[in-house]
Amino acid sequence: MNLFEKMFNYQMMTRLNETGLFTWTSQERAWLRMMLNHPAAREALSPVTLDKMYNMLNGEQDLNLQDYLTEKAKSEENNVSHPLLRQLRLIILHHQGFRMTGRVRNGRTSHDEFGFPYKLEYSMVKKEWYVLWYAPRFDKLMSTKLHSIVTVEAQSVEPNTASSYTARIAAITEKRKTTITIEVLPEFNQELSRILYAFSCFEKQVEYLEAEQTYRIELTVPRNEMDYVLSKMRFLGKRVRIADHTMLRERMSETAAKALARYVEKDPDMHPEHSNEVQHHQREVGSLAKADGQ
Amino acid sequence: MARESFDKEIQFLRMLSLTSGAYNRKQYAERLGISVHTFDKTNRRLKEIMQTVADQRSGAEASREMADLVRFQYGESAEPMLLFLFRAKSMKETEVQRLSVLLHTLQHKTLTAMELLDACCADLPEDLALPDEKTIRSDLKYLEEVGVIRKEPGGRPYRYALQQDVLTELTVEEQLELYDFVDMMANTQVPSVQGYLLRDSLKKAITASFPQEEATEPYIYKYHYYSRILDEAHLYTLLGAIRQRKRVQFLYFSPKKPSSYSSQNTNPRFEREADGRSNRIVPLEVIYDHQYGRWYVIGYQGRRGFVKFRMEGITQLEEQDSVEEQYMLELKQQWTDISRYSWLVDTGNTVTVQARFFHPERGQRNFILDRVRLQGQWGKIIPETDHTFLYEIQVNGTTEIKPWLRSFGSSCEIIAPQRLRQEMIKEWKEIAEYYEPVREDVQLPDDDTTE
């Protein structure tokens, strides 16, 4: 299989698009055939569509990649699709709102809340689908796990209202963004590639200070995603340090102190430099509640 | 068809997307090992392609820098801009014209080669030389080979038809369903390039029925490594070689230096990666690492034994002679045995790692346990007390699992082996030092999400 086929050439594509011509190669069909074997296919496609696809692709090459390709350090995949996706995606398509009843923390149920959904988000880390929606009553952006939804029902929204919601969503999203600067300790510059791969899933800008031979990575993330950044920081350990964010620096410091405190009681030889573990201990419990990163 | 090498473009795009903005063009050229002139030329060419592809969707500004164009923008689209690498193959203008006229002509009816020749002569711009029958026949052969068209049943003269069952056999709603499925799978599974290409064509097809932007971009995926698709350029050559038991040769540029885990390997039989030189291996397996979003190829290299290469460093990949089936089977079996307990690709000595995990505060969902279950691979979870559990796993070497364990912060305490425990203590001490002095009184604001 050659991914650089002439058929995929950009000039060809441009030309074919002029009349909305649809072409597909046997490569794409073989890939699709392979994907239809994934359990998600039965959830994402209706039986009729699935049946048609099977018939259509029956004669295609079987890729059998599992014999040569192994995936490592993968999160277990509980669901790639979700039964509610279909309904919610149609609500988004038609610029509708919804009324939703869902399970919230501590086993309580939220009743019949009105919202305006705008995206369906899949977390590659938690392997969960979320619906992102706007709650006009609180003027807030919300994110709800599809698994916690009990019922959802479409509700029509006036076009004018819908566009005002869309504008609010864009404004709040922008406002929620924050930047974090991370510095690569120069002694680990030779591991730069690895470090940058680890951060490649974020919006980022890299700066190289030649005189100091230091790389600084400026991440732009929504404020509520900081715990994931922290998890990445702990993952990379001493190779990187948060350069500019007081709150996150504080959190990293707390984590280190608390982690050391875990060891100190049982390893009497260990003398941590910190004298204030107890105080840290108390506060870390609180902040850990949000440390649900990677 | 001649096999084209996109090594330069791949390295170029990888560097731009990973280090966006870090270097000036001279520094980039130096790091890529090309002249500034070549850098500029490649930059111009890719930018032109990028704009041709992007303009139709978003009307990207011509003034934007290449690095901005390939920069990952979360939430805007699930479509990776890097995909255009696979669209960058160069073609003669006449060929583009001819092939597209052929396909357009076939759009609504089946035709014979001669009828297509006539159509071509009628439809091609006047300034182009008219194609002859032989050319048309070879074009049709190519289109049939890649599966875009097919010969209809029945004898000579053959009639050709466009393969577009997806449009003709599916209803508009079913097409949307299929688009969603392809979007999901391309974004969550590997390999994905064909999926992204298919997503692209389906997107055009469904836009006619669903013109709203919400029709094609309702999904986003966090946080995935989209630069992974660049290495898929080598993937099929390698998989093909493994399938046909062929040796491969390539020039390898280590990403700076071998990473620490492979260099700690003490067993001389399973040596570490080599630097910047020609390598000839029997490829055995391709591994995708979900922790960093990187690809590896595992091979056997005579005296050096089993070797591991990151696909990002591979250039000038070529297939060579084949090896005996029995030999290949033996190598595969050996590799399976020694890598059974590799967290990723480490083949160091097998040790048992034991860690204690601490539940979060009472009343909270046990996200620590959830995460260990989700990501702990083949490790065992053993309940311990009301607020702790043990996790035990056999792994080859501790270097690859260490970052994962460390990412749990103070919710994880290493019990064994003792050396790993000591390393972890040392690292936390060093990290603590990075953040001295510590300011107090800072709290994270509540985030505005519900579950």
Side-chain angles (χ1 to χ4, degrees), chain B residues 181-237:
Chain B
F181 176 66
V182 169
D183 183 287
M184 238 175 256
M185 300 313 268
N187 278 289
T188 61
Q189 310 292 309
V190 288
S192 52
V193 170
Q194 286 98 352
Y196 282 120
L197 291 167
L198 177 56
R199 180 187 181 277
D200 233 23
S201 329
L202 280 170
K203 186 170 165 178
K204 309 277 156 37
I206 63 167
T207 311
S209 325
F210 304 98
Q212 317 87 305
E213 192 202 320
E214 288 80 358
T216 50
E217 304 292 344
Y219 306 111
I220 44 179
Y221 303 84
K222 79 177 179 196
Y223 278 105
H224 80 326
Y225 301 105
Y226 87 136
S227 50
R228 71 179 195 272
I229 69 170
L230 292 175
D231 289 329
E232 285 191 29
H234 301 311
L235 180 65
Y236 291 94
T237 317

Side-chain angles (χ1 to χ4, degrees), chain B residues 65-207:
Chain B
E65 283 301 316
M66 189 65 198
D68 292 334
L69 289 170
V70 296
R71 180 168 304 144
F72 170 63
Q73 296 286 343
Y74 183 69
E76 282 191 1
S77 166
E79 182 168 27
M81 281 312 273
L82 292 176
L83 184 67
F84 86 101
L85 166 74
F86 301 98
R87 302 216 175 267
K89 189 182 169 63
S90 52
M91 270 174 86
K92 279 202 199 106
E93 179 59 22
T94 48
E95 198 176 12
V96 174
Q97 294 266 12
R98 240 176 25 241
L99 290 177
S100 50
V101 167
L102 285 176
L103 291 170
H104 280 137
T105 314
L106 283 170
Q107 196 167 4
H108 301 295
K109 51 180 183 283
T110 63
L111 291 168
T112 63
M114 292 317 284
E115 287 167 332
L116 283 163
L117 176 64
D118 290 345
C120 253
C121 292
D123 279 6
L124 282 178
E126 281 171 20
D127 50 330
L128 286 183
L130 292 178
D132 53 22
E133 189 188 333
K134 206 174 136 214
T135 315
I136 295 296
R137 288 201 187 273
S138 86
D139 285 345
L140 289 171
K141 194 165 163 239
Y142 169 73
L143 292 172
E144 200 189 340
E145 258 168 29
V146 293
V148 173
I149 61 171
R150 62 165 175 254
K151 271 192 196 123
E152 289 289 80
R156 289 168 186 279
Y158 291 116
R159 302 188 75 79
Y160 291 91
L162 203 58
Q163 287 262 28
Q164 50 174 356
D165 344 19
V166 165
L167 288 198
T168 49
E169 290 182 26
L170 297 187
T171 65
V172 170
E173 287 75 25
E174 287 166 347
Q175 286 170 18
L176 190 68
E177 228 178 272
L178 178 64
Y179 172 83
D180 288 357
F181 176 66
V182 169
D183 183 287
M184 238 175 256
M185 300 313 268
N187 278 289
T188 61
Q189 310 292 309
V190 288
S192 52
V193 170
Q194 286 98 352
Y196 282 120
L197 291 167
L198 177 56
R199 180 187 181 277
D200 233 23
S201 329
L202 280 170
K203 186 170 165 178
K204 309 277 156 37
I206 63 167
T207 311

